[in-house]
Amino acid sequence: MNKFLLLSSSALLLSACATDPNAATRVNNSAGRASVYEDVRSSSAIQGIGVESQDIVGIADKMVRDMLSNPILAGRATPPRVLIDSEYFKNMSSSRVDKDLIINKLRVQLSRAANGRMIFVGRQYAGVAEAEADLQHAGVVDGGTTGAPAPTLRVDYRLVGSMNSQDTVGSRSGETLRYQTFTFEMLDVRTLELVWSNEYEYKKSAQDDLIYR
Amino acid sequence: MPAFRLPLTVAALASALLLSACPSNGQKPIDEGPQPGVRVDDARAPNAGLRLDTVAILDKSLQNAKGGKLAVESTGARRSPTNTVEAYAVIRNRTDFPLQIEGRTQFFDAVGMPIEGPTMWQRVMLDPQGISSYKELSTRTDVGHYYIEIREGR
């Protein structure tokens, strides 16, 4: 009888091992926490004193609307050629942010809203035209459908600007306060006249225990 | 004969009631499919709905005309030099404390069709008992109407 019981319990234990896949790998097979979509236009539960999505969207929105109300930029019979890239936009602030995140948003929003009132030059992609012309000269590709290679456009105005900040840290509380400014200007590349300027600023305070990357 | 009259009358009335409960084709409606969106048109809710060229205060704590924290002193719009439209609202803080509010605008064409999505929420700081203004520019020139929304800063 004892032998029978021992054999039965061993068989049961073995069968349990064979059917439970977690027993072998020790995988934590729980559902986990689902990711949550949030509104890019509003602050979220995780927020600090750095540059966040609502700031980037707000900057682009404000600058686009102001540029399109400027007669030099958006009221000319011949639309001006503009170059909006981050080469002359400096991040001098203590905020860690990819400045192309701001400039790309600005260029795309402005390009969509301008609707022919400005001509946008993609100087940052200049190598593309040269490479394509080289391939055509080498006989690798044909002439395309938009005509012979043409000189790339000289721009009238170029975006320049900077991000600057001033931090204040409470030595006892560890609370940090940041005054952050974003300055945007359109420079006449022929005369260096600044034909348009605007800025966006904020002051935020928090226990600075977030990592921006 | 009068003995049969009462049951006949009752039967006729019951049939009439049953028939009136059914649609004209005699079939009962089936509750299936999406419901059409409706506009609230109720005398008991005079503020429901969209009123163009006005300022709407969204938060209950700010909006009450008697005890609300904000007063909208004036609102309007004008054309910019490039023919875009600038809408504005002058807002007064009715409290003895500083307030942070946010405003955004939606622009519509002359027939009331929305032509620009709502703008980004723009923060406005109000000093105690002070007046400040909220302004927003359109990107398009074919604007006919505007609608400003105000909420508490967050």
Side-chain angles (χ1 to χ4, degrees):
Chain A
M1 186 65 182
N2 281 344
K3 275 184 182 175
F4 177 73
L5 271 174
L6 191 66
L7 277 170
S8 302
S9 57
S10 302
L12 269 170
L13 277 169
L14 279 169
S15 67
C17 287
T19 53
D20 183 7
N22 291 344
T25 57
R26 302 284 181 207
V27 172
N28 177 9
N29 193 22
S30 59
R33 182 174 175 270
S35 58
V36 178
Y37 280 86
E38 298 202 21
D39 183 6
V40 297
R41 303 156 69 96
S42 294
S43 55
S44 56
I46 303 168
Q47 58 178 318
I49 59 170
V51 182
E52 289 160 356
S53 70
Q54 71 274 16
D55 300 312
I56 293 169
V57 178
I59 290 166
D61 196 63
K62 183 178 178 183
M63 299 306 144
V64 166
R65 290 174 190 283
D66 199 42
M67 275 195 236
L68 290 175
S69 69
N70 183 301
I72 296 171
L73 295 174
R76 279 178 39 179
T78 306
R81 299 171 186 170
V82 297
L83 176 52
I84 311 261
D85 68 358
S86 60
E87 193 172 338
Y88 290 95
F89 184 75
K90 310 283 183 210
N91 182 3
M92 314 288 282
S93 74
S94 44
S95 291
R96 187 176 169 86
V97 63
D98 177 4
K99 60 185 182 177
D100 278 328
L101 206 59
I102 300 167
I103 300 300
N104 288 351
K105 182 86 183 162
L106 178 60
R107 185 179 59 251
V108 170
Q109 295 284 314
L110 186 61
S111 170
R112 288 177 60 82
N115 203 19
R117 285 173 278 181
M118 294 178 201
I119 291 170
F120 295 84
V121 179
R123 179 73 54 77
Q124 63 273 41
Y125 306 118
V128 175
E130 288 167 17
E132 200 65 20
D134 288 347
L135 286 172
Q136 190 184 340
H137 288 139
V140 178
V141 296
D142 68 2
T145 60
T146 53
T152 52
L153 301 179
R154 196 200 74 128
V155 298
D156 300 317
Y157 305 115
R158 181 168 195 158
L159 184 86
V160 297
S162 66
M163 294 168 55
N164 304 84
S165 68
Q166 175 72 46
D167 286 5
T168 314
V169 182
S171 56
R172 287 190 182 172
S173 64
E175 196 168 12
T176 308
L177 185 142
R178 181 168 298 164
Y179 171 55
Q180 173 98 35
T181 64
F182 305 80
T183 306
F184 298 89
E185 294 178 298
M186 288 298 263
L187 182 76
D188 184 329
V189 298
R190 198 169 48 91
T191 63
L192 301 187
E193 181 190 2
L194 293 166
V195 296
W196 169 87
S197 300
N198 202 345
E199 66 175 357
Y200 181 95
E201 62 181 3
Y202 69 69
K203 190 160 82 170
K204 292 183 192 176
S205 64
Q207 293 287 126
D208 193 15
D209 54 357
L210 292 178
I211 299 166
Y212 293 89
R213 53 185 182 183
Chain B
M1 195 65 174
F4 293 103
R5 199 168 285 163
L6 190 62
L8 272 175
T9 313
V10 169
L13 274 171
S15 305
L17 271 171
L18 278 169
L19 280 170
S20 67
C22 296
S24 55
N25 61 3
Q27 294 194 340
K28 217 176 162 187
I30 300 165
D31 187 18
E32 185 182 325
Q35 296 298 310
V38 291
R39 191 168 172 274
V40 175
D41 192 9
D42 192 323
R44 293 168 300 171
N47 293 325
L50 170 67
R51 278 181 289 181
L52 295 172
D53 306 321
T54 61
V55 180
I57 298 174
L58 303 183
D59 291 317
K60 296 280 183 194
S61 63
L62 299 177
Q63 67 187 204
N64 184 338
K66 199 174 177 183
K69 296 176 179 176
L70 294 181
V72 177
E73 298 295 336
S74 63
T75 181
R78 65 171 184 181
R79 293 277 168 188
S80 77
T82 57
N83 217 27
T84 58
V85 169
E86 186 172 34
Y88 73 90
V90 178
I91 297 157
R92 184 165 58 84
N93 179 1
R94 299 174 68 196
T95 74
D96 295 328
F97 303 93
L99 277 181
Q100 278 191 44
I101 58 167
E102 291 178 322
R104 71 175 184 183
T105 308
Q106 230 179 126
F107 292 99
F108 299 80
D109 69 7
V111 296
M113 183 178 168
I115 53 172
E116 278 183 33
T119 63
M120 182 63 192
W121 287 107
Q122 191 189 119
R123 198 172 289 269
V124 178
M125 306 291 183
L126 287 165
D127 288 329
Q129 299 292 347
I131 277 178
S132 194
S133 61
Y134 162 80
K135 288 189 279 187
E136 193 60 275
L137 283 154
S138 72
T139 61
R140 291 173 55 149
T141 56
D142 54 344
V143 173
H145 302 280
Y146 67 92
Y147 180 68
I148 297 173
E149 291 174 308
I150 300 289
R151 72 177 185 185
E152 200 148 15
R154 54 192 72 175

